[in-house]
Amino acid sequence: MKSRFASEGKPLVTGWDIGGAHLKMAQCRDGKIVSAQIFKTPLWLGLDQTRQALREIGRLRGGGNVNVFTMTGELSDTFASRDAGIAGLLDFIEEEFGTADTLIYAGRSGFCEISSARGLGSDIASANWHATASLAARLAETGLFVDMGSTTTDILAFKEGKLVNDGYSDAERLLTGELVYTGFARSALIGIAALVPVRGHMTPLMNEYFANTADLGRILGTLDEADDKYPSADRLPKTVAGSIQRIARMIGRDSGDLEESEWIDIARWFSEHQLRMIHDGAFRVARKLDSAAPLIGAGIGRPQIRELAKRMERPYVDFGSLIPAVEDARDDASKAAPAAAVALLASMSVHLVQQTAP
């Protein structure tokens, strides 16, 4: 399989990460990431959302690419089960891309063709973390890899170029601290805390989706608005004033009830509480590493990850600066890290075969 791709001299490898809320894409040419993008694709509304996104970016798929895929979208409630989701997404990939020059990333089982992938469901399911952490391990040898996206945070240790993970499935990684289900944009604030300090009183939160973590980043100035691709919780404007009003609803108030500085403090408290959740997981995972091992940060939540590195007193290395990429693609590649990782890993495999071919 690899020799077929190598002998044809494919110059372009496109990596795709099909998620439940976003489609991530990264292109690799001559061993470097040259572009990366993230698209809004609410998979819970059906595969047509993802299909439409592909139609709109069809020009990026032409020219004889090798296309490589990883996924987390099998968890979407579009599908009756994880197995049904994997089968459905593999069918979708085959329909849209065909089987020639198409590879699936099966985590610990490596790359495979679609026909083989149908028997590797447990390896393929939500294995995008394995791609990014494995690539980081190749490039940095030893470290703590943390990828914070819009909804979840992956935390993996690697030593001497190899992953030293305790869990593999989502269920296992939730138990080990390697998966923390909180993100930088789409997580509901009620999922971060049950009480928040308001004028010295620990105040219960309303159990409603009134505000999310994008509101925190907006108020604190850490959010890149381009990374918040979904409507606000109340579908009203994405402004600092709008975010304050949404947070106010969480405690049964209006924004005028407190001074703006007080609302900023409340947003800061929520952000700090979320960071503690991630730190708890990272503390457990990092037990395998010495204190000098760097923290490699990826995803749209890197502002939080940089703070985590300070808290853990570890050097911080951005995933985008670690990987081979053209300069103006590094930031986008870090945000779309799993897509960039599968593209680079596949490109490295092809390059290796070319180098060793007789």
Side-chain angles (χ1 to χ4, degrees):
M1 176 177 62
K2 290 179 180 176
S3 60
R4 169 165 59 86
F5 292 138
S7 64
E8 292 177 1
K10 300 292 187 183
L12 186 66
V13 178
T14 302
W16 304 88
D17 179 17
I18 303 177
H22 299 95
L23 174 68
K24 298 175 182 177
M25 181 278 298
Q27 290 193 301
C28 176
R29 188 184 297 277
D30 298 326
K32 291 185 178 181
I33 297 297
V34 295
S35 67
Q37 296 183 61
I38 300 178
F39 305 90
K40 172 188 171 185
T41 52
L43 192 56
W44 61 87
L45 297 179
L47 275 166
D48 285 345
Q49 303 289 322
T50 306
R51 185 173 285 108
Q52 180 58 35
L54 289 176
R55 295 287 184 269
E56 293 172 3
I57 58 176
R59 61 184 177 81
L60 298 176
R61 298 187 291 135
N65 294 9
V66 173
N67 288 287
V68 293
F69 292 84
T70 186
M71 64 181 70
T72 60
E74 77 280 352
L75 292 172
S76 170
D77 48 17
T78 288
F79 306 112
S81 67
R82 180 180 280 101
D83 287 343
I86 293 167
L89 289 176
L90 290 176
D91 287 344
F92 173 78
I93 292 167
E94 184 171 349
E95 290 167 8
E96 294 295 324
F97 291 85
T99 57
D101 300 345
T102 300
L103 296 175
I104 307 299
Y105 185 70
R108 56 196 171 191
S109 294
F111 290 102
C112 62
E113 295 182 342
I114 292 177
S115 58
S116 300
R118 296 187 185 280
L120 293 170
S122 61
D123 292 326
I124 291 167
S126 298
N128 62 354
W129 61 270
H130 192 281
T132 43
S134 293
L135 180 62
R138 283 198 189 195
L139 299 176
E141 290 292 320
T142 297
L144 183 69
F145 176 77
V146 184
D147 183 354
M148 186 178 189
S150 64
T151 314
T152 61
T153 302
D154 295 307
I155 307 171
L156 286 309
F158 55 90
K159 293 179 69 174
E160 300 176 353
K162 296 182 179 180
L163 291 182
V164 287
N165 53 301
D166 290 320
Y168 190 88
S169 69
D170 285 339
E172 291 168 349
R173 295 194 306 121
L174 284 169
L175 292 176
T176 63
E178 293 166 330
L179 172 60
V180 181
Y181 225 92
T182 190
F184 201 63
R186 298 181 61 246
S187 293
L189 294 194
I190 193 63
I192 294 176
L195 302 168
V196 61
V198 181
R199 291 187 169 173
H201 298 283
M202 293 305 295
T203 303
L205 298 181
M206 291 188 173
N207 192 12
E208 291 281 358
Y209 180 57
F210 284 144
N212 61 26
T213 46
D215 290 309
L216 303 180
R218 186 171 295 111
I219 293 169
L220 298 176
T222 57
L223 175 72
D224 180 346
E225 287 293 345
D227 296 333
D228 182 24
K229 299 185 182 298
Y230 281 81
S232 63
D234 58 7
R235 308 188 78 84
L236 293 177
K238 295 179 180 181
T239 61
V240 171
S243 289
I244 288 174
Q245 181 58 41
R246 285 185 281 274
I247 288 178
R249 285 197 193 95
M250 295 297 303
I251 55 172
R253 290 178 177 266
D254 292 321
S255 58
D257 292 351
L258 304 178
E259 299 294 329
E260 182 175 309
S261 61
E262 294 178 284
W263 291 119
I264 293 173
D265 281 344
I266 289 172
R268 188 174 291 117
W269 186 92
F270 270 115
S271 181
E272 167 67 19
H273 205 72
Q274 182 188 50
L275 184 56
R276 284 184 223 142
M277 297 168 63
I278 298 168
H279 190 187
D280 285 349
F283 187 85
R284 295 168 61 193
V285 175
R287 75 188 189 281
K288 303 174 181 180
L289 305 172
D290 63 52
S291 59
L295 190 154
I296 315 299
I300 68 169
R302 284 170 293 161
Q304 280 286 51
I305 301 171
R306 291 187 189 98
E307 291 301 315
L308 176 66
K310 292 177 185 177
R311 182 159 302 184
M312 300 184 76
E313 299 182 339
R314 292 184 179 276
Y316 176 81
V317 178
D318 193 274
F319 181 79
S321 69
L322 181 68
I323 64 175
V326 299
E327 286 305 313
D328 60 1
R330 291 189 184 279
D331 185 60
D332 289 336
S334 192
K335 291 178 179 180
V342 291
L344 284 167
L345 288 170
S347 178
M348 289 174 181
S349 298
V350 169
H351 178 70
L352 181 63
V353 171
Q354 290 174 325
Q355 291 284 76
T356 58

